[in-house]
Amino acid sequence: MSGLAMVPSWRRMVAGAVALFFLAGTAIAAPKGQAPKAKASPVAGLPEDKALALGERMYREGLLPNGEPMESVVSGDIPVPGTSFTCVSCHVRSGLGSLEGGVVTLPTNGFKLGQTRYWKYPNLLPEERKDLHVLTPQARPAYTDETLAHALRTGIDPSGRELNPVMPRYYLKDEDMAILVRYLWSLSTQISPGADATTIRFATIITDEVSQDDQDAMLVPLNNYVAWHNTHSNGMGNRMYMSIGGKEMSGSYRKLSLSVWRLKGSPDSWERQLETYLAKDPVFALLGGLSSGEWKPIHTFCENQKLPCLFPITDLPVISESDWYTQYFSKGYYQEGQAAARYLHGLDDPTSASRILQVIQDGPEGRDLAAGFRETWKELGQGAVKELRLAKGESLQATTLRTLLQQEKPTTLLLWHGAKAFAALEGLADQAERPGVVFLSSRLLGAETYGIPEKARPFTWITYPYRAPEDEPKYSRYANSLLKGLPKHKPETRISTRTYAMLQLFQAALMEMDRNTYRDNFFDRIGMQRDYVLPDYLRLSFGPGQRYASKGCFIMQLSSGSEPKLVRKSDWVIH
Amino acid sequence: MTRSAWHIAGLMLGFSAMGLLAQAPPPIKRTVETYTVPEVTLVNQDGTKVKLKALLDSGEPVIVDFIFGTCTTICPVLSAGYANLQMKLPNQAAKVNLVSISIDPENDTPKVMRDYLKRYRAKPGWTFLTGKREDIDKVMVAFNAYIPNKMSHYPLTLIREPKTGKWIRIFGLMSSSEFVAECSKVGIL
């Protein structure tokens, strides 16, 4: 693959810059590693760490130190409890702010609060303004503890100007205010490890069972992207940024570096290996990653270290509503089980939904498929689900299935099993009492999906988590063409296309992050991306805290004949 | 750089200037409109299917906005406005249908919507709707509120006059007293 093939067009560059430039008004100063003056004395009679933990809870959860909701008023006279929304809702986790619907939420991180803010080019540091001969009036002087408390209570900034009425005016006692103010001073003050004024360091993780071909399918496009990005000198890169964003963007370009962290042996030992890697090579974030096993040990490491991991290529993610540091493409197998539940629940005829049986092949794939169905089924208010878990290494036999169906008489059978169950499935066709519907997972079956026995196809529904096959080529052609020169490239693994998609989002977030290289800011910028239409998944959508970008799945059936095709039975199932 | 790229860069400068001015309250724009509610079936926070036309054209007082569960700025303020309006109407809240329509249907499942309403202490009478993207798009188009990117949406409140069926379209974020005044004007308070 040619590295130049990854060069974004001017159109794409400008589009990225538009988003970046929008955000320029909200945040962006060049910290260059320096921290504001230290504020280490006790606050409100509390030790520093205790005060910061309470301040973080106020910022993120809207709860006062006594556990009650913070109270405020917004838009002049609308009372708002902190549990409805609070600082993090608009200023986001890093404190760098946001832009949405024409409303700029200004930064509230310690570094920016401690700087004079200017109307024009608020990104530039005083020495940069001097160098670039930018002599424009200031919007406000640096905040102090007192002026910050005054702004939070009254909405009046240190220059005397009134903030937008959408900024809540908070009713806070002096000691509670002191805790929140202390937290704000601590928020995003020093750029994160792995980043400096010239380079941002990244790593990707590969576990030792991954084949060389699959490694290449991810590493070739990833390395080519980094090489292309680094072809610019720093001066050239900055001029490129400036040509799009003007002086505001000067000094934003950083070189990239990419390490490969290879994990060996038992997953129990991965955390220790990862700690060793991170200690030797403190990177800013992880890009992609490949493992055929469960991602949980790596996920947990990233949560513990507060280390972002962008789009690992895994179908066995951790399912969590609150974890923050891994952005996945989807919920993987779990999402297929979820889609089966949602689709069954939404049918006008409730017959199929009356008695459910899940037969679960041993292993994490079957476990996640079944959990996705079970948990969603419960959430939808449906009844109990019967389950049969096969023993390790056991395949479903026709006689076993027949007996089971006679006992349970399910109206729907979820057969979370590989192709070895096809004989048992085929036997159902001639059985008088059989479930009206059998679900299979296309991800679990892989290419063998097309081998579903002819006689079983009329009652077999297939969960399919990607764009319909007939529509896919036009979306993935370009990404696949980048790997033309690679021997043994296998598009069906979707590794290179997912890497391509990851790089699209990485590039957008990198530009919008600008010089504010805080790890939390990196994922805050991911959370503010528009929806993307890229290879593989029908749509990738984002939002603060949204950690599974593709949220739907098709239900398909296989057509008859020796060269069958997948035929859509459903819309993109999202509810 | 091509001419078109410079043109876009110029636009960017304009938007940036807007951003810097955004500390001033955005002006509220009020118009009276006629809309045709599309025949779509959406899903509410309880997972129940809801025919939108029947809900909005019922003849009862109806207020509509467009929000999403993870919105950072506009939706929280709009929703605080809904919550506050319900608090001001302790006896009548159930008679005024407050309707929020998701513009992020991929993420806004019934559970997400339930949790959202709980955060705002919503009372009965506030319905949060999601649905198929094509149907959501139809609704946005019908109310002249279509946006291709949820991050660029804008604050919009639509109040249906019960007697005429016309819609008061309010662009911008209202204070509580402004919202109550608008409701009073059309006789739903």
Side-chain angles (χ1 to χ4, degrees):
Chain A
M1 185 190 103
S2 160
L4 287 175
M6 292 294 285
V7 175
S9 65
W10 262 112
R11 190 186 296 271
R12 194 175 302 133
M13 287 289 293
V14 171
V18 168
L20 171 82
F21 208 83
F22 281 2
L23 285 157
T26 74
I28 321 282
K32 290 193 174 173
Q34 65 272 59
K37 59 184 176 181
K39 289 175 176 287
S41 56
V43 56
L46 296 167
E48 179 80 0
D49 57 345
K50 178 78 173 165
L52 289 179
L54 289 170
E56 183 180 278
R57 192 170 73 158
M58 294 174 79
Y59 185 87
R60 293 188 186 172
E61 299 173 41
L63 294 175
L64 293 165
N66 67 7
E68 294 293 315
M70 292 160 65
E71 296 294 336
S72 67
V73 64
V74 73
S75 283
D77 58 1
I78 302 176
V80 181
T83 41
S84 292
F85 68 89
T86 185
C87 319
V88 75
S89 308
C90 305
H91 294 279
V92 294
R93 189 155 166 137
S94 62
L96 269 293
S98 60
L99 182 139
E100 189 196 273
V103 177
V104 176
T105 300
L106 296 171
T108 52
N109 62 311
F111 182 81
K112 289 294 291 180
L113 292 172
Q115 297 282 314
T116 301
R117 182 172 176 83
Y118 292 86
W119 287 114
K120 199 170 180 185
Y121 306 135
N123 275 347
L124 300 179
L125 289 169
E127 61 267 30
E128 290 176 305
R129 307 185 77 81
K130 198 174 165 187
D131 292 345
L132 293 164
H133 307 291
V134 177
L135 303 169
T136 54
Q138 67 175 38
R140 61 149 177 80
Y143 277 101
T144 63
D145 287 358
E146 292 73 27
T147 57
L148 189 50
H150 186 68
L152 287 164
R153 286 191 171 114
T154 66
I156 307 292
D157 81 4
S159 72
R161 285 190 184 82
E162 184 159 14
L163 301 171
N164 191 312
V166 301
M167 166 68 197
R169 277 57 167 166
Y170 284 97
Y171 305 115
L172 290 172
K173 292 189 297 184
D174 287 348
E175 53 267 39
D176 296 340
M177 179 63 83
I179 288 169
L180 180 59
V181 165
R182 173 64 61 89
Y183 177 72
L184 293 175
W185 284 120
S186 77
L187 185 60
S188 299
T189 53
Q190 294 200 43
I191 61 172
S192 296
D196 60 30
T198 60
T199 307
I200 310 177
R201 303 181 62 76
F202 295 90
T204 191
I205 291 172
I206 298 176
T207 55
D208 58 1
E209 83 292 349
V210 178
S211 72
Q212 189 60 49
D213 291 348
D214 286 356
Q215 292 185 34
D216 288 345
M218 181 184 72
L219 287 176
V220 169
L222 199 45
N223 281 322
N224 281 352
Y225 177 82
V226 171
W228 167 76
H229 181 97
N230 290 343
T231 53
H232 308 293
S233 66
N234 282 75
M236 180 73 174
N238 283 325
R239 279 195 292 280
M240 182 176 71
Y241 274 42
M242 276 182 71
S243 70
I244 296 165
K247 290 176 181 176
E248 180 82 342
M249 296 287 294
S250 66
S252 301
Y253 177 79
R254 301 283 185 277
K255 298 276 189 192
L256 307 177
S257 78
L258 181 72
S259 305
V260 180
W261 293 356
R262 296 181 186 279
L263 299 179
K264 296 183 171 62
S266 162
D268 294 342
S269 68
W270 290 358
E271 186 175 3
R272 201 173 59 252
Q273 295 177 51
L274 287 165
E275 284 169 356
T276 305
Y277 274 124
L278 189 63
K280 283 184 185 166
D281 181 14
V283 296
F284 179 76
L286 303 174
L287 300 181
L290 261 180
S291 176
S292 59
E294 295 182 70
W295 198 256
K296 187 176 179 182
I298 304 164
H299 175 107
T300 305
F301 169 79
C302 290
E303 286 300 308
N304 292 341
Q305 298 289 341
K306 297 182 170 29
L307 181 67
C309 178
L310 182 64
F311 288 133
I313 297 173
T314 176
D315 296 326
L316 293 166
V318 170
I319 309 300
S320 167
E321 290 186 8
S322 56
D323 286 358
W324 212 79
Y325 288 98
T326 303
Q327 171 71 53
Y328 294 103
F329 278 111
S330 78
K331 292 181 178 172
Y333 287 103
Y334 183 98
Q335 194 159 309
E336 288 184 61
Q338 190 169 50
R342 286 172 173 172
Y343 185 66
L344 264 185
H345 173 74
L347 290 176
D348 291 331
D349 178 1
T351 311
S352 303
S354 56
R355 285 189 307 281
I356 308 290
L357 173 66
Q358 298 202 86
V359 174
I360 308 159
Q361 180 179 278
D362 179 62
E365 297 84 0
R367 180 204 62 203
D368 281 8
L369 283 159
F373 184 89
R374 185 191 320 114
E375 290 170 14
T376 308
W377 200 240
K378 186 179 174 191
E379 185 187 307
L380 293 168
Q382 295 279 5
V385 178
K386 292 251 180 181
E387 296 185 348
L388 171 72
R389 292 163 197 282
L390 300 175
K392 193 171 184 179
E394 180 188 356
S395 291
L396 184 65
Q397 302 302 312
T399 50
T400 313
L401 184 59
R402 198 174 303 125
T403 308
L404 192 63
L405 297 183
Q406 282 167 355
Q407 285 171 2
E408 303 295 343
K409 295 186 173 46
T411 52
T412 292
L413 169 67
L414 298 133
L415 192 50
W416 304 134
H417 200 294
K420 286 184 178 174
F422 280 175
L425 179 67
E426 189 168 25
L428 290 184
D430 302 323
Q431 204 166 315
E433 282 192 43
R434 63 165 171 79
V437 177
V438 177
F439 271 96
L440 296 177
S441 158
S442 68
R443 194 170 345 217
L444 192 58
L445 290 168
E448 294 187 281
T449 302
Y450 294 91
I452 292 172
E454 177 87 39
K455 286 161 70 178
R457 292 178 196 171
F459 58 85
T460 301
W461 298 355
I462 306 156
T463 53
Y464 190 80
Y466 303 112
R467 181 180 288 112
E470 68 272 19
D471 297 333
E472 184 56 40
K474 65 184 174 195
Y475 291 94
S476 56
R477 188 177 297 128
Y478 177 66
N480 278 320
S481 74
L482 300 178
L483 291 182
K484 262 183 184 166
L486 189 72
K488 298 182 188 173
H489 169 48
K490 296 179 204 156
E492 67 275 14
T493 65
R494 301 177 189 268
I495 293 172
S496 55
T497 44
R498 281 185 274 183
T499 305
Y500 170 79
M502 182 272 289
L503 288 169
Q504 297 298 307
L505 268 301
F506 171 63
Q507 178 173 266
L510 184 68
M511 289 191 75
E512 291 176 20
M513 184 171 65
D514 200 351
R515 286 163 286 183
N516 298 290
T517 46
Y518 310 107
R519 286 171 174 167
D520 285 359
N521 186 34
F522 179 45
F523 265 17
D524 280 340
R525 302 304 127 187
I526 288 285
M528 275 176 259
Q529 295 302 311
R530 62 177 169 82
D531 292 5
Y532 273 69
V533 176
L534 290 166
D536 298 323
Y537 303 100
L538 196 68
R539 176 185 288 262
L540 301 179
S541 64
F542 303 89
Q546 294 188 24
R547 286 292 172 264
Y548 308 93
S550 170
K551 298 167 176 82
C553 182
F554 282 118
I555 307 298
M556 299 278 195
Q557 277 191 288
L558 203 60
S559 65
S560 61
S562 57
E563 292 185 0
K565 291 184 176 171
L566 286 168
V567 179
R568 270 176 52 179
K569 186 165 180 61
S570 73
D571 292 316
W572 188 238
V573 179
I574 48 178
H575 304 127
Chain B
M1 188 187 278
T2 63
R3 181 179 292 187
S4 62
W6 281 114
H7 181 68
I8 293 170
L11 281 174
M12 284 152 37
L13 284 168
F15 280 118
S16 179
M18 281 171 59
L20 294 173
L21 293 171
Q23 289 191 60
I28 289 174
K29 188 179 169 192
R30 182 184 192 276
T31 57
V32 180
E33 309 285 350
T34 301
Y35 297 123
T36 303
V37 181
E39 300 271 4
V40 296
T41 300
L42 304 180
V43 177
N44 72 11
Q45 66 270 17
D46 299 319
T48 306
K49 290 178 182 174
V50 175
K51 289 184 187 296
L52 187 67
K53 198 170 177 60
L55 178 68
L56 301 190
D57 288 349
S58 67
E60 291 186 348
V62 174
I63 304 174
V64 173
D65 66 11
F66 295 91
I67 64 170
F68 61 103
T70 58
C71 171
T72 53
T73 307
I74 293 170
C75 315
V77 180
L78 285 172
S79 296
Y82 265 19
N84 189 53
L85 189 69
Q86 282 198 317
M87 285 172 64
K88 287 183 180 296
L89 304 166
N91 299 319
Q92 301 178 43
K95 294 179 188 170
V96 180
N97 286 321
L98 301 180
V99 179
S100 294
I101 299 174
S102 169
I103 56 169
D104 186 15
E106 302 269 329
N107 191 62
D108 287 343
T109 61
K111 182 177 184 303
V112 169
M113 298 191 299
R114 275 198 303 277
D115 291 347
Y116 185 91
L117 292 177
K118 194 176 170 190
R119 286 212 312 272
Y120 285 89
R121 303 173 182 175
K123 296 178 182 174
W126 183 352
T127 306
F128 198 166
L129 297 171
T130 189
K132 288 191 291 188
R133 178 163 291 280
E134 308 87 89
D135 289 339
I136 295 288
D137 285 351
K138 278 182 197 167
V139 179
M140 286 196 287
V141 168
F143 284 102
N144 190 22
Y146 178 76
I147 43 105
N149 172 13
K150 67 178 186 280
M151 298 308 291
S152 59
H153 80 135
Y154 41 81
L156 195 61
T157 306
L158 303 158
I159 305 173
R160 187 178 184 277
E161 279 188 302
K163 288 180 185 168
T164 64
K166 288 192 179 296
W167 291 86
I168 312 301
R169 178 189 176 95
I170 297 156
F171 182 99
L173 292 164
M174 291 179 285
S175 68
S176 172
S177 50
E178 287 168 331
F179 199 4
V180 167
E182 289 293 346
C183 291
S184 300
K185 278 183 201 168
V186 297
I188 65 174
L189 271 180

